[in-house]
Amino acid sequence: MYAERQPADLLAALPDGGGLAEGPWLVRWDAVAGKAEDLVMTALPPVVELSTSGSTGAQRTWARTREQLWAEAGLLAGLLGPDRPEAVLSFAPPRHLYGLLVSVLVPARLGLPVWYRSQYGPMPPEDAARRWAVTAIPWTFSLLLQRRSWVRAAERVSVLHSTAMLPATAGELVVSAGADRLTVTEIFGSTETGGVATRRWAPGNPPWELFPDVTFADPRATGEAPLTVRGPRLARSAGGDPLTTWQLDDHVEILDERRFRFAGRRSRLVNVNGRRLNLDELETSVRAALPCADLALVPVRDPVIGEHFDLLLVPGEAARAGSFDVRAAFAETGVRPRRLRLVDRIDRSETGKLRRLRDADAPDETA
């Protein structure tokens, strides 16, 4: 059951979340039409502090004003508005920047009811709306594939995704539902920058386009380079000055003054025997070939060739130690991990990002 909460009560529990991530709950922003902005500006503190996920280093707190948050919610709402959604279903925990935006402020901007669902719980009733905006994190797509009847009952499903690389299940969902019924819009950004760029999902690697208020720090730059941007929504460190530019942990190929192609996160690019590998893409390609509960590829230093990667694998109920055909799983990639490490669990953030290995003493297997 979804517990109905009043907009003012929801806002009072922010910005730390106050248990809001547990869900499920329903907030009727449509019941306060015309008053949402006043409610938000009154309830939120002038400066809101939010933490990074810890996926690329120690967690760090960054601050931004409520006006910056409201402005960004407007940009995201603008991506969904043309599809005329009647309700929002969100899976993003509101204690982080993306979740605060899409689970709270974007529905407020749109003036729509928002159903927040954590990983466990029922789907909203099929007849609650005909046209849905779904704000997603990576595991959302697997869940929607399991709930195909809910998706097919809708006239239109507009999915907004951020926080990590889009999983292969997103493409499967589009094919299953039909591109005329379901579309996926991606957001590229970070806690430090907020949303930087967006694109509509399509096969291959279509270019990203900067949000209207974002520019490259060097607008004349071309070719591959670290992504460095300017914009009015950059955060500031807690107690520090606002950022004027920020270099993300990403390599991109700059195409022109407004567009780029993503090459890979700096921490997820490794050069193995002269071949550069994007571990996020490689992980996606082998995941379906290995029966397991979870897996991750992690970069390591190698005393002989300098850079390599290890495969961390959590056995599932259908698989046991010694039954993994790692060579077959990696056959089409032309590379193999340096070693296989069987672990009890892989430490991830609540949005699915890899943080660090919890069981450092896990046994090794030859890969």
Side-chain angles (χ1 to χ4, degrees):
M1 291 291 292
Y2 282 77
E4 186 165 345
R5 306 190 65 158
Q6 297 300 314
D9 295 336
L10 177 74
L11 291 167
L14 297 171
D16 63 2
L20 295 178
E22 300 304 320
W25 42 258
L26 164 66
V27 173
R28 300 294 304 268
W29 287 103
D30 53 325
V32 292
K35 301 177 182 178
E37 182 173 5
D38 288 340
L39 285 172
V40 168
M41 292 302 169
T42 299
L44 290 185
V47 176
V48 178
E49 294 187 349
L50 298 160
S51 297
T52 58
S53 67
S55 62
T56 57
Q59 283 193 337
R60 185 175 177 185
T61 298
W62 293 89
R64 51 185 19 91
T65 67
R66 58 191 172 198
E67 288 79 14
Q68 286 176 310
L69 294 170
W70 188 248
E72 180 154 358
L75 291 172
L76 301 182
L79 297 175
L80 295 168
D83 289 336
R84 298 179 289 108
E86 300 168 354
V88 178
L89 170 59
S90 184
F91 295 86
R95 67 170 63 99
H96 301 299
L97 175 60
Y98 173 65
L100 172 60
L101 289 166
V102 300
S103 296
V104 181
L105 300 183
V106 168
R109 274 281 199 174
L110 292 170
L112 296 178
V114 54
W115 305 70
Y116 172 75
R117 184 190 188 280
S118 54
Q119 192 163 3
Y120 305 101
M123 294 290 283
E126 291 181 358
D127 60 359
R130 292 289 297 163
R131 304 177 70 88
W132 287 91
V134 175
T135 54
I137 55 180
W139 58 259
T140 301
F141 298 97
S142 295
L143 185 143
L144 292 180
L145 281 170
Q146 297 167 14
R147 306 291 193 276
R148 285 182 173 90
S149 62
W150 186 91
V151 174
R152 289 171 182 159
E155 176 184 307
R156 177 74 174 173
V157 179
S158 305
V159 181
L160 195 67
H161 174 267
S162 189
T163 76
M165 187 173 176
L166 198 67
T169 46
E172 295 175 29
L173 181 64
V174 173
V175 171
S176 173
D180 57 338
R181 180 190 306 273
L182 186 145
T183 57
V184 178
T185 299
E186 299 180 78
I187 306 300
F188 195 109
S190 69
T191 302
E192 298 88 348
T193 61
V196 168
T198 184
R199 69 179 180 181
R200 178 65 62 89
W201 179 87
N205 184 22
W208 295 83
E209 184 169 350
L210 297 177
F211 277 109
D213 61 347
V214 176
T215 59
F216 294 120
D218 181 0
R220 296 169 297 178
T222 58
E224 187 171 312
L227 179 57
T228 308
V229 296
R230 300 180 185 274
R233 292 179 285 106
L234 298 183
R236 64 176 174 81
S237 58
D241 296 325
L243 300 172
T244 55
T245 64
W246 184 256
Q247 181 174 298
L248 289 84
D249 186 46
D250 302 285
H251 280 191
V252 300
E253 178 190 358
I254 298 175
L255 303 177
D256 55 39
E257 291 186 355
R258 305 298 304 165
R259 299 181 306 143
F260 65 85
R261 291 188 192 277
F262 176 57
R265 283 185 292 160
R266 187 177 302 109
S267 60
R268 301 289 288 162
L269 293 172
V270 297
N271 193 310
V272 179
N273 289 324
R275 179 180 173 187
R276 191 175 71 164
L277 304 173
N278 182 332
L279 294 184
D280 286 324
E281 293 180 351
L282 187 60
E283 192 174 292
T284 297
S285 70
V286 301
R287 184 175 292 275
L290 286 172
C292 62
D294 195 10
L295 65 82
L297 302 180
V298 295
V300 294
R301 301 299 301 176
D302 185 89
V304 178
I305 64 173
E307 298 180 24
H308 216 302
F309 65 94
D310 288 351
L311 167 62
L312 310 183
L313 192 143
V314 181
E317 293 182 2
R320 294 291 181 268
S323 66
F324 305 106
D325 193 346
V326 175
R327 289 177 175 83
F330 283 84
E332 293 187 4
T333 70
V335 295
R336 286 214 306 266
R338 187 186 64 163
R339 62 178 177 176
L340 163 66
R341 304 192 67 184
L342 302 180
V343 298
D344 293 331
R345 69 182 299 271
I346 293 171
D347 192 10
R348 297 184 181 277
S349 71
E350 59 191 348
T351 58
K353 288 184 179 180
L354 176 68
R355 280 203 286 240
R356 60 188 179 278
L357 178 62
R358 181 178 294 274
D359 184 3
D361 298 321
D364 295 346
E365 298 288 336
T366 300

